[in-house]
Amino acid sequence: MRILVIGSGGREHALCWKISQSPHCDELFCAPGNGGIGRVAECVSIKPDDIEKLGDFAEEKGIDLTIVGPERPLIAGVCDHFRSRGLTIFGPNASAARLEGSKAFTNELTERAGVPGKAFKVFDDAEAARKYIRRQGAPIVVKADGEAAGKGVVVADHIDDALDAVDRCMVDREFGASGDRVVVEEFLEGQECSIKVFCDGETIVPMVPSQDYKRIYDDDEGPNTGGMGCYSPVPVVTQEVFDRVISEIVRPTVEQMTSEGTPYSGVLYAGVILTESGPRLLEYNCRFGDPETQVVLPRLESDLVELLLATAEERLSEVEAVWRDERAVCVICASGGYPGKYATGCDITGLKEARAGEDAIIFHAGTERMGRRYFTNGGRVLGVTALGATFSQARDRAYRAVGHIDFEDMYFRTDIGERAVQAE
Ligand code: GLY
């Protein structure tokens, strides 16, 4: 088969890495890819949001299956476009990708489905939102309704921060049209985890759970990032919790989507919080997680291409996913200054030693390859994943591998996996 992956981050490298191991994969392309992806796939210089051009490329090359990494093209309708041209693609149509593209849509749909979530109210008017926030008090959560590259959510400890979030969305229009409507939500307390499933509109095949670290500094301090590391499985997600998430949250959502005429196909990623009263839905994403994919796919024993194709062809009930009973820890190496300003073009050294010496898997995110050398080209530069029989073994391997790698101002958290090690 000829396969195309859309995207350029660590998630897409993990996808390409796993897909390239499948006997079904004859040729693999990635648009646009990155320095490391170029080792397992042919990188094609087309941007993920250039939907028309991606369709032309898939037609010209006779691509049998396309997999979409990031949310933006999904929300913009890349799957609708491919399907209208008779091309096989893995991912939800735009109407189903609203589960990530609109917080109001998701809250309203899951409420109709009886999914345990949080109290919420949707506002098109800033003054009405402010009044409601003053009445409710803090802590409270303010979200831009639309997709805002992970930056549109504010968990406010003080009313002033919540009011400021409303202004940034609706008055300053920091997120453009995505913030013209805001959703104000009840604040929930508990540990967060993410549970993703393959779904073809009817059948659900769950993946192993994972937990990511969103803040830049150790002990979850500092600003939010795209994710500074993660691990899988998640000790607090017992089999009972896992089954409840699937039966009380994911399945009713999938059934509701189908009954409302927008069946969901692709990866459904449930961001869940484990409260005293049980698991509750925080949000959905319509894609693989990043960096979570960098710990989930290394634990997948089964052929990923078979799962992706069966999902896209609505015959997921014919395949199963078998997972390795190992622990996986991924540490992100970032450019100093991230998530703020950072330098690019820094020479990366020690990759070979990290891979070979410690049995680690190095997933590239913001890298560029020139000849045999790699240079930094983004905020999150590399994801270093290691497996182990225990969390402490996986964590030690990952950090030993990170110890071989260097580039100017390299930054990483030193506490990734610590929570899981303590719980072991
Ligand atoms: N790690 C969070 C996400 O993929 O959105």
Side-chain angles (χ1 to χ4, degrees):
M1 284 174 71
R2 293 175 147 193
I3 301 175
L4 168 65
V5 172
I6 298 173
S8 63
R11 164 184 50 209
E12 287 76 20
H13 192 183
L15 283 164
C16 288
W17 168 83
K18 186 68 183 166
I19 289 169
S20 68
Q21 295 165 19
S22 167
H24 298 293
C25 178
D26 299 312
E27 255 185 293
L28 180 58
F29 301 90
C30 188
N34 63 37
I37 291 176
R39 287 171 66 97
V40 288
E42 186 180 321
C43 293
V44 187
S45 163
I46 306 175
K47 292 205 174 93
D49 50 10
D50 199 340
I51 291 175
E52 197 76 38
K53 223 167 168 186
L54 288 166
D56 293 345
F57 176 81
E59 253 174 29
E60 276 159 28
K61 285 281 178 190
I63 298 292
D64 300 296
L65 173 66
T66 298
I67 299 104
V68 190
E71 61 277 15
R72 272 212 183 141
L74 290 166
I75 293 167
V78 66
C79 292
D80 308 63
H81 181 77
F82 269 55
R83 288 181 180 123
S84 74
R85 293 171 76 160
L87 295 161
T88 304
I89 189 162
F90 175 92
N93 279 341
S95 55
R98 279 182 299 170
L99 280 179
E100 178 159 2
S102 168
K103 313 279 185 283
F105 171 82
T106 300
N107 285 358
E108 285 162 0
L109 179 125
T110 52
E111 190 174 59
R112 286 195 292 280
V115 168
K118 61 261 148 178
F120 71 96
K121 242 176 154 31
V122 180
F123 295 94
D124 291 302
D125 174 67
E127 193 40 39
R130 291 190 200 106
K131 254 194 204 147
Y132 177 76
I133 288 168
R134 286 197 195 96
R135 230 183 14 250
Q136 293 300 114
I140 196 158
V141 181
V142 180
K143 295 180 174 175
D145 176 50
E147 190 275 319
K151 298 192 178 91
V153 176
V154 170
V155 179
D157 288 329
H158 304 286
I159 286 191
D160 285 348
D161 297 334
L163 298 175
D164 182 53
V166 170
D167 285 349
R168 285 171 50 205
C169 287
M170 303 183 96
V171 180
D172 308 337
R173 299 192 78 239
E174 216 172 278
F175 311 112
S178 287
D180 285 347
R181 169 181 281 188
V182 297
V183 182
V184 182
E185 294 179 355
E186 168 194 12
F187 170 78
L188 296 175
E189 199 126 24
Q191 268 211 58
E192 290 179 32
C193 65
S194 62
I195 293 183
K196 300 163 204 69
V197 301
F198 295 97
C199 174
D200 66 357
E202 201 174 321
T203 303
I204 288 167
V205 173
M207 301 185 210
V208 284
S210 55
Q211 195 168 57
D212 71 344
Y213 291 79
K214 293 190 170 58
R215 306 291 186 126
I216 186 76
Y217 304 127
D218 283 12
D219 299 322
D220 295 326
E221 301 279 350
N224 265 339
T225 69
M228 292 304 294
C230 52
Y231 59 84
S232 172
V234 184
V236 286
V237 181
T238 58
Q239 190 61 48
E240 190 215 332
V241 169
F242 189 79
D243 292 345
R244 283 187 70 181
V245 171
I246 299 296
S247 66
E248 294 173 18
I249 295 178
V250 177
R251 194 170 296 286
T253 304
V254 168
E255 285 170 2
Q256 191 72 24
M257 289 293 280
T258 301
S259 77
E260 295 194 10
T262 51
Y264 191 91
S265 174
V267 170
L268 184 57
Y269 166 146
V272 170
I273 186 155
L274 307 177
T275 70
E276 273 180 1
S277 62
R280 300 226 232 152
L281 176 70
L282 282 180
E283 61 179 15
Y284 275 123
N285 293 320
C286 61
R287 51 174 171 81
F288 284 96
D290 197 4
E292 292 96 319
T293 305
Q294 301 175 54
V295 289
V296 169
L297 291 186
R299 294 191 60 211
L300 179 64
E301 188 93 54
S302 312
D303 188 322
L304 177 62
V305 173
E306 285 176 11
L307 282 157
L308 297 169
L309 193 61
T311 304
E313 293 179 344
E314 295 177 27
R315 47 175 189 79
L316 195 49
S317 58
E318 293 172 15
V319 291
E320 61 169 345
V322 178
W323 301 94
R324 294 199 174 94
D325 191 27
E326 279 173 298
R327 276 71 182 118
V329 172
C330 172
V331 179
I332 299 295
C333 300
S335 300
Y338 173 78
K341 283 204 173 97
Y342 53 81
T344 57
C346 305
D347 194 359
I348 307 171
T349 58
L351 291 173
K352 215 194 259 166
E353 293 79 357
R355 245 192 331 266
E358 310 302 343
D359 216 9
I361 314 166
I362 318 286
F363 294 120
H364 289 231
T367 74
E368 196 176 11
R369 187 173 167 188
M370 280 184 232
R372 297 167 71 87
R373 291 165 63 188
Y374 294 93
F375 296 86
T376 65
N377 187 31
R380 289 187 296 171
V381 176
L382 301 163
V384 179
T385 298
L387 296 168
T390 60
F391 276 115
S392 74
Q393 195 177 53
R395 179 202 54 183
D396 292 350
R397 278 184 181 153
Y399 275 111
R400 275 202 305 270
V402 168
H404 290 286
I405 300 171
D406 195 28
F407 54 84
E408 201 180 314
D409 273 346
M410 179 172 108
Y411 171 78
F412 56 90
R413 274 181 67 154
T414 64
D415 62 346
I416 304 297
E418 199 54 49
R419 266 199 302 262
V421 171
Q422 302 298 333
E424 208 158 40

